Amino acid sequence: MARYILQRLGYMILTLFLIATFSFFLMKMLPGSPLSSEQKVTEAQREIILEKYGLNDPVPVQYARYMGNLLQGDLGVSFQLKNQPVTDILLSRIPISAQLGLYALLIGTVLGMLLGLIAAIKNNSWVDYSANIVSVIGISIPSFIFAGLMQYYVGVKLGLLPIAFWGTWQQAVMPTIALAIFPMAIGARFMRTEMIEVLGSDFIVTARAKGLNNTGILFKHGLRNALIPLVTVMGPMAVSLMTGTLVIEQIFSIPGIGEQFVSSVMTDDFAIIMGTTLFFAFFFVLIILIVDLLYGIIDPRIRLAGGKD
Amino acid sequence: MDNILEVKDLHVSFDTYGGEVKAVRGVSFDLKKGETLAIVGESGSGKSVTTRAIARLIPSPPGRIKEGEILLDGKDLAKLKEKQMQQIRGKEISTIFQDPMTSLNPTMKIGAQIMEGLIKHQKMSRSKAKERTIELLDLVGLPNAKDRVDQYPHQFSGGQRQRVVIAIALACNPKVLIADEPTTALDVTIQAQILELMKDIQKKTDSSIIFITHDLGVVANVADRVAVMYAGKIVEIGTVDEIFYNPKHPYTWGLLGSMPTLDNDEESLVAIPGSPPDMLNPPKGDAFAPRNEYALEIDNEMEPPMFKVSDTHYAATWLLHENAPKMEPPAAVKRRMKGFAASSDKKGDKR
């Protein structure tokens, strides 16, 4: 098992290296520079700045320097934000996005699983149909609509909750709900389909033939076997929720990484874009590793296929 | 001998969009203590549905027991509530299923799957249940039971898994063991081992077994009595000797004629022509009549009652009516019957 994880970590580093390389050259192929939108800078000043940041060097030299710094954990400095180190910016913003995303993920997944379970048990009853409608709505209506509606009715009309910023738990409620609806809907649909299939398996009949009661059958025999597809979709979902959500952070003025990413792209802030991309990539491969390990925990047949322990 | 199980006029139907499928239409039989009753018949004859109904494992809806009694030690299972039935299943009636590859939970250690019943019905502690589980695995002939209780189903071969399934069924010493084609999904060499195991276990535990199969070779090997089912009814029932040496129903003749054996030199097997009736609209009269070359006029009009051949042997065919023309089984089947008799003499009789 330990060997398997080490091997996977090795691949992760290789993946990240390749992503860093690709992103770097892609960024360099883009026209313009962080200074292109600055009107008041003279030609001479521009030269000085480009020289100072080494932007006049040949691209391979810049690449080698960037990768060298990267190995030491230095992601460079932001051009827009007064020479702040990118690492500091990321570290101040990522925890907020991750926290919001985690809340939404947990609440959405738990509610979705419950909804899907109930729908599966009451298959083809009105409960099932209502759960189905709820999940279709949750999947097809974008989260910013819920966000806007909540802000207007709960925030403005009723004045129950603050409509923006981040810090208190009250401020977290509405963005969390807005974000949780999609994972809830997806979770409910996957759970229902999977559970209905699992409950039709032969081993469920075996469990009934043992005289177990329905709750025991559902949770001891059904749930675990229905979890694999759910974990498969929830992994990437976790990444997209926890790495900052462009729209929701914007709507609620939450100083997360998503909001930062948008403004950096607008200003061609090379270092921050690279840093954020690398962070997304790192988080993504990490989640994939966790998902793969979870597969093994859930289903013993996958455990052996992964590598000998 | 006492009857441990009496099934009286059991009707099971499934409500589908197309209408009511009458899968079992008035089945009656009894099962004595320590006896093995084989139920044979082709696919769709209602043999599995009958036994699932006995264990009340028919999913409802769409299935339901329309009428009839299932008396286990005098208690009518057909009338029990699901909660009460959960106390009976696994404890007094156990089922061994057909396909060991799918009837075990893939994400649960086999030990835990065997222990569940013990913990539920016999209120054993976990450590006690584990001890008993190891005993059970020894009983069903699984080597290294101590190490293997903590393994998962995918670490076992098909035959080993079926041994585990049998151990689950035996866990609480059930009075009635239902074996629903327990060897059909296994290769032939393993089939023989599992059959030997079941016979062995029956000797040790003195349980009663209902053995469903469509393999008459298996029947001859394990059963004391045989019930032949067709289109949701028992058409002939008797001891193994009576069914194999003196079959009365043309359908039984057909089954015997289509059974491959090693010790005959027939060029080809005799197939029963046609296919079973649609149970959505079972035919009036004898359901087997359209496929029966011996069918009489009356077969199309009226269902035959059970005619008594001997105290233990009954068959539902008008051929046994006193006014019916005397019919003999086809020559090929008669040769078979002689063959069976000869080979059982050779074996010196285990019965």
Side-chain angles (χ1 to χ4, degrees):
Chain A
M1 197 62 181
R3 233 189 79 193
Y4 172 69
I5 295 178
L6 276 180
Q7 192 185 348
R8 288 292 301 266
L9 287 174
Y11 282 123
M12 271 174 70
I13 291 168
L14 183 69
T15 312
L16 288 176
F17 167 77
L18 289 176
I19 290 173
T21 308
F22 269 112
S23 326
F24 185 90
F25 286 106
L26 285 174
M27 290 295 303
K28 286 296 165 193
M29 282 161 70
L30 281 177
S33 78
L35 303 176
S36 7
S37 54
E38 300 288 340
Q39 307 288 324
K40 292 175 190 153
V41 183
T42 66
E43 203 55 39
Q45 286 171 318
R46 184 185 301 265
E47 267 315 301
I48 295 168
I49 294 171
L50 288 179
E51 197 60 44
K52 177 169 186 264
Y53 290 107
L55 295 174
N56 277 341
D57 296 340
V59 173
V61 175
Q62 291 187 36
Y63 170 70
R65 187 166 49 227
Y66 186 82
M67 294 307 268
N69 290 339
L70 185 62
L71 280 181
Q72 295 159 34
D74 179 4
L75 290 167
V77 292
S78 164
F79 297 103
Q80 289 302 306
L81 301 164
K82 297 175 185 145
N83 286 347
Q84 272 191 55
V86 170
T87 344
D88 289 358
I89 297 173
L90 290 182
L91 284 179
S92 72
R93 289 186 170 250
I94 286 167
I96 296 174
S97 289
Q99 198 183 3
L100 172 62
L102 194 65
Y103 290 161
L105 183 73
L106 290 181
I107 291 172
T109 313
V110 170
L111 284 182
M113 280 171 64
L114 275 178
L115 204 64
L117 268 183
I118 295 168
I121 301 165
K122 305 276 176 195
N123 186 10
N124 287 332
S125 69
W126 66 268
V127 186
D128 183 18
Y129 298 136
S130 338
N132 204 13
I133 291 171
V134 169
S135 38
V136 169
I137 291 175
I139 290 173
S140 41
I141 299 182
S143 57
F144 63 82
I145 298 203
F146 296 113
L149 287 173
M150 274 192 292
Q151 279 182 324
Y152 182 66
Y153 287 102
V154 183
V156 178
K157 284 264 179 178
L158 299 174
L160 290 177
L161 290 166
I163 59 163
F165 305 122
W166 187 255
T168 63
W169 68 264
Q170 289 95 332
Q171 286 167 333
V173 173
M174 288 200 294
T176 304
I177 293 175
L179 270 185
I181 285 172
F182 188 68
M184 182 196 78
I186 294 278
R189 284 194 69 82
F190 271 83
M191 196 69 210
R192 174 184 177 274
T193 318
E194 242 357 84
M195 203 63 193
I196 287 173
E197 194 183 315
V198 168
L199 289 180
S201 322
D202 287 351
F203 63 82
I204 295 291
V205 184
T206 310
R208 288 187 64 209
K210 279 181 219 173
L212 301 187
N213 60 32
N214 293 338
T215 331
I217 291 173
L218 195 66
F219 287 99
K220 274 184 87 174
H221 291 271
L223 192 57
R224 193 163 168 184
N225 284 289
L227 277 182
I228 288 278
L230 200 68
V231 169
T232 310
V233 286
M234 284 305 168
M237 181 95 73
V239 177
S240 70
L241 286 173
M242 292 174 69
T243 52
T245 47
L246 314 183
V247 178
I248 291 294
E249 286 181 8
Q250 204 74 46
I251 290 179
F252 288 99
S253 299
I254 295 166
I257 194 74
E259 195 205 38
Q260 177 65 54
F261 193 55
V262 176
S263 69
S264 314
V265 170
M266 305 293 252
T267 55
D268 209 353
D269 195 340
F270 168 79
I272 291 198
I273 298 175
M274 276 300 289
T276 320
T277 308
L278 283 180
F279 165 70
F280 285 176
F282 168 74
F283 201 67
F284 195 74
V285 288
L286 184 71
I287 289 281
I288 288 176
L289 176 64
I290 292 173
V291 164
D292 284 351
L293 293 178
L294 270 180
Y295 282 160
I297 292 171
I298 294 168
D299 192 334
R301 287 168 297 183
I302 298 173
R303 202 175 303 166
L304 285 182
K308 296 273 176 280
D309 44 333
Chain B
M1 267 198 292
D2 297 331
N3 288 337
I4 187 104
L5 181 75
E6 290 174 31
V7 176
K8 291 180 180 166
D9 197 28
L10 182 69
H11 287 73
V12 183
S13 286
F14 292 88
D15 297 310
T16 66
Y17 290 113
E20 178 189 343
V21 176
K22 302 181 189 76
V24 175
R25 307 181 295 151
V27 161
S28 304
F29 64 86
D30 41 53
L31 183 68
K32 295 178 179 58
K33 200 163 164 27
E35 142 183 270
T36 301
L37 171 72
I39 303 182
V40 296
E42 61 199 296
S43 306
S45 59
K47 48 195 197 308
S48 283
V49 174
T50 303
T51 51
R52 296 236 169 163
I54 292 171
R56 292 278 305 275
L57 285 172
I58 304 272
S60 167
R64 64 194 155 94
I65 296 177
K66 241 171 85 178
E67 54 179 287
E69 293 178 340
I70 302 161
L71 301 173
L72 178 75
D73 267 347
K75 182 165 41 181
D76 188 0
L77 302 185
K79 297 201 170 49
L80 291 188
K81 296 210 167 59
E82 170 62 23
K83 269 266 172 281
Q84 296 168 299
M85 202 56 215
Q86 285 168 3
Q87 298 301 323
I88 307 245
R89 272 190 223 121
K91 187 179 178 192
E92 297 184 32
I93 296 185
S94 281
T95 313
I96 299 167
F97 295 100
Q98 178 173 354
D99 188 354
M101 303 314 263
T102 57
S103 50
L104 291 171
N105 182 342
T107 60
M108 208 167 163
K109 291 174 181 165
I110 59 129
Q113 299 192 47
I114 301 172
M115 281 156 63
E116 276 184 315
L118 294 168
I119 292 169
K120 155 129 195 174
H121 295 300
Q122 312 209 328
K123 312 280 178 265
M124 282 189 186
S125 67
R126 289 195 70 84
S127 56
K128 199 93 192 299
K130 191 153 183 176
E131 272 170 42
R132 169 85 178 124
T133 298
I134 294 172
E135 279 173 32
L136 281 164
L137 289 177
D138 279 333
L139 176 72
V140 297
L142 206 67
N144 302 329
K146 257 204 178 71
D147 302 324
R148 305 216 73 178
V149 280
D150 287 327
Q151 291 186 336
Y152 291 93
H154 70 273
Q155 292 162 292
F156 293 77
S157 70
Q160 289 173 330
R161 288 192 209 189
Q162 196 61 309
R163 287 174 195 268
V164 172
V165 172
I166 292 173
I168 292 176
L170 290 175
C172 302
N173 295 320
K175 293 175 186 158
V176 176
L177 196 58
I178 295 170
D180 189 350
E181 305 201 30
T183 58
T184 308
L186 303 173
D187 21 31
V188 186
T189 48
I190 310 294
Q191 281 186 9
Q193 290 176 12
I194 296 288
L195 288 180
E196 278 312 309
L197 171 67
M198 293 198 60
K199 283 200 286 191
D200 192 39
I201 282 167
Q202 184 171 33
K203 232 179 279 163
K204 282 183 193 159
T205 61
D206 202 30
S207 50
S208 312
I209 299 180
I210 300 178
F211 200 106
I212 303 179
T213 180
H214 51 241
D215 184 344
L216 285 171
V218 170
V219 173
N221 194 352
V222 299
D224 300 308
R225 285 195 301 141
V226 185
V228 180
M229 278 191 80
Y230 185 78
K233 292 187 166 194
I234 293 181
V235 294
E236 182 160 9
I237 185 165
T239 64
V240 169
D241 289 356
E242 284 164 338
I243 299 294
F244 276 78
Y245 309 146
N246 189 22
K248 291 297 180 193
H249 199 285
Y251 181 63
T252 314
W253 298 347
L255 284 182
L256 290 171
S258 59
M259 170 189 175
T261 54
L262 284 176
D263 43 29
N264 72 16
D265 27 56
E266 303 282 334
E267 286 282 307
S268 61
L269 295 169
V270 190
I272 303 174
S275 51
D278 172 13
M279 299 309 284
L280 212 54
N281 304 298
K284 187 177 153 199
D286 183 358
F288 186 58
R291 304 171 72 188
N292 182 3
E293 52 180 310
Y294 305 95
L296 308 171
E297 283 290 311
I298 189 170
D299 276 319
N300 297 321
E301 298 302 323
M302 232 173 113
E303 283 191 74
M306 273 286 189
F307 288 96
K308 182 172 171 176
V309 182
S310 76
D311 278 346
T312 50
H313 189 186
Y314 294 82
T317 167
W318 285 116
L319 293 179
L320 292 173
H321 192 269
E322 52 189 3
N323 295 337
K326 289 288 160 263
M327 288 286 180
E328 288 286 313
V333 175
K334 275 177 114 175
R335 277 199 297 278
R336 290 274 166 107
M337 285 153 56
K338 238 181 268 161
F340 296 138
S343 69
S344 103
D345 286 346
K346 255 185 282 169
K347 271 187 256 169
D349 218 33
K350 313 165 286 188
R351 244 174 278 284

